[in-house]
Amino acid sequence: MNEAVFSQIAMLVLLTGLIVWMGFIVWDLAKKSQAGKFGTMALFTVLGAGVVGFIIKTVLVEIMQI
């Protein structure tokens, strides 16, 4: 296994872990603040938009081969 393959695998695994951890943090924040169903949905929508933007950017870069 060369460095490029290791870096790609590590990036995928660690980035997935980070996204899951951020989801847990948002859920915990909603729970502790007693946000309710609407507030929890709003938190996940607004704070999750950054993750969705990152995923869209990654897909576009792979498609366009930049």
Side-chain angles (χ1 to χ4, degrees):
M1 177 183 302
N2 60 14
E3 190 270 334
V5 173
F6 176 76
S7 294
Q8 187 174 10
I9 292 171
M11 177 79 158
L12 181 65
V13 170
L14 294 175
L15 195 58
T16 302
L18 179 64
I19 290 170
V20 170
W21 180 249
M22 288 171 54
F24 170 75
I25 290 171
V26 171
W27 175 78
D28 191 48
L29 177 67
K31 183 179 172 187
K32 286 183 180 178
S33 67
Q34 300 174 346
K37 289 182 183 180
F38 179 74
T40 302
M41 188 186 323
L43 281 170
F44 272 103
T45 301
V46 172
L47 297 176
V51 173
V52 172
F54 180 79
I55 292 170
I56 290 171
K57 179 196 74 102
T58 304
V59 169
L60 285 176
V61 166
E62 288 297 319
I63 290 173
M64 298 174 73
Q65 294 295 324
I66 295 178

